[in-house]
Each structure stands twice: as structure tokens, then as C-alpha cells.
């Protein structure tokens, strides 16, 4: 065997020893930092051990235990991973997108508003007044009746016929 493979084996043995001695405690510590996400905690344990392998000088210290160094590296990796996740837009499942409402199209909304205003202006004054009170001023039938000085039944009737006229005057908007 050449010296490089001997060095690698020793390093692998030391790494295995680190895992045996500190892996469970490191995992528990990182599990807390990841709010119980075991997969993420395991990934961070592995990355921490990779860092130990990449920095053999850390293993050659006179410290009694490697645990503080491992915990510090693991904590920093957890913080970096969290920052990286927060800096990216959150991933959304394709299925969730299929069931979410489409965002409002401002142009389409403006065009619809213009079409509705035009259709309402085309109604007779009795029908237009009832729709303005009930739908645009959000008044109840009795409030609209009181405001317009007509019976509640008349408000209901005029509202019905006004909406029917609007449907005819707005082809392509719902039922015809």
C-alpha cells in the first residue's frame, strides 16, 4: 500500500470513530435546529462529517473532545441551509397549483367593468336605480325600497328583470 491509501484509511477510521462517538448527539442537536426534520438533520450530520474529513487539521487538536467543533460546524451548516432555503421562492407542488384560483387579470377586470357599466347605462332608469342600490351600494331589498320609495316586491321584480336584461346585453359573460 502506498502512503496515500494509508492516510485515507486512517482518515476513514477516524471519521467512523467520530460518527460512532458523536453522531447520535450531533443528530439530536441538528434535529432541534431543523424543527424535527429528520432527513434534513441527517443530511447536515453527513455534511458536518464531510467537513471534518476535508479538514484533518481539526482532528489533530489537543482538545479533549471534537464535539464542540462538530456542533459548531453543524450549527453553521444548518444556518446556511436555512438562509439558502429562505432566499429561494418556496417550492409548490404541481397539484396545489391546479387547485388554486388563477390570479386576477387586471386588464380583463377593467374590460369587464367597462362592459358592465355600459350595459347598466343601457337599462331604463327604474331598473338601473334598483341595481345601483342593491349591488353597487350593497343595500338590502328593504333598504333599497325605502331609499327609492317603492315596495320591496317591486325592488325584487325590477332586480330580476334588470339582471335578465344585463345577461342579454353582455354576451359571453356567463349564462345567456
Amino acid at each position: 500500500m502506498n502512503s496515500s491509501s494509508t492516510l485515507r484509511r486512517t482518515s476513514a477510521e477516524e471519521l467512523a470513530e467520530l460518527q460512532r462517538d458523536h453522531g447520535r448527539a450531533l443528530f439530536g442537536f441538528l434535529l432541534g435546529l431543523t424543527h424535527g426534520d429528520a432527513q434534513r438533520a441527517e443530511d447536515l450530520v453527513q455534511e458536518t462529517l464531510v467537513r471534518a474529513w476535508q479538514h484533518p487539521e481539526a482532528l489533530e487538536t489537543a482538545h479533549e473532545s471534537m464535539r464542540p467543533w462538530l456542533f459548531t460546524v453543524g450549527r453553521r451548516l444548518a444556518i446556511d441551509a436555512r438562509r439558502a432555503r429562505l432566499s429561494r421562492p418556496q417550492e409548490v407542488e404541481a397539484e396545489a397549483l391546479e387547485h388554486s384560483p388563477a390570479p386576477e387579470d387586471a386588464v380583463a377586470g377593467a374590460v369587464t367593468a367597462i362592459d358592465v357599466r355600459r350595459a347598466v347605462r343601457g337599462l331604463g332608469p327604474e331598473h338601473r336605480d334598483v341595481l345601483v342600490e342593491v349591488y353597487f351600494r350593497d343595500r338590502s331589498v328593504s333598504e333599497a325600497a325605502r331609499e327609492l320609495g317603492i315596495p320591496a316586491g317591486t325592488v325584487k321584480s325590477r332586480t330580476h328583470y334588470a339582471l335578465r336584461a344585463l345577461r342579454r346585453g353582455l354576451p359571453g359573460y356567463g349564462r345567456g
Side-chain angles (χ1 to χ4, degrees):
M1 272 188 191
N2 66 27
S3 63
S4 134
S5 63
T6 305
L7 181 63
R8 183 170 285 139
R9 185 175 323 159
T10 303
S11 198
E13 288 170 1
E14 287 177 350
L15 204 54
E17 187 178 330
L18 278 177
Q19 171 67 35
R20 245 187 342 271
D21 294 346
H22 307 290
R24 178 171 266 166
L26 182 60
F27 175 75
F29 173 69
L30 293 170
L31 191 61
L33 291 179
T34 60
H35 304 287
D37 187 337
Q39 182 65 48
R40 191 167 289 143
E42 282 183 16
D43 291 345
L44 290 168
V45 167
Q46 288 178 355
E47 183 61 29
T48 302
L49 293 173
V50 166
R51 296 289 170 93
W53 180 72
Q54 291 172 335
H55 297 280
E57 70 276 6
L59 302 175
E60 298 168 2
T61 64
H63 296 313
E64 199 171 294
S65 174
M66 285 299 300
R67 193 170 284 189
W69 185 87
L70 291 169
F71 275 44
T72 299
V73 171
R75 182 177 151 277
R76 288 179 180 162
L77 288 171
I79 290 168
D80 290 347
R82 179 166 170 72
R83 285 179 181 156
R85 267 192 328 280
L86 293 176
S87 70
R88 296 191 294 266
Q90 187 175 358
E91 295 177 12
V92 178
E93 299 277 331
E95 186 176 316
L97 289 175
E98 291 173 12
H99 298 294
S100 64
E104 289 273 334
D105 181 357
V107 174
V111 169
T112 300
I114 290 169
D115 289 346
V116 169
R117 281 191 198 110
R118 189 174 295 142
V120 168
R121 275 197 304 266
L123 296 173
E126 305 86 22
H127 291 130
R128 183 175 48 245
D129 291 346
V130 167
L131 287 185
V132 166
E133 292 300 320
V134 171
Y135 288 101
F136 297 109
R137 293 190 178 142
D138 199 28
R139 293 201 168 120
S140 69
V141 170
S142 60
E143 291 170 338
R146 201 170 31 256
E147 183 67 30
L148 295 171
I150 57 177
T154 304
V155 170
K156 290 179 185 178
S157 172
R158 287 182 184 174
T159 301
H160 171 77
Y161 287 110
L163 291 175
R164 205 161 103 189
L166 279 180
R167 279 191 208 103
R168 282 193 308 268
L170 293 167
Y173 288 97
R175 296 177 284 143

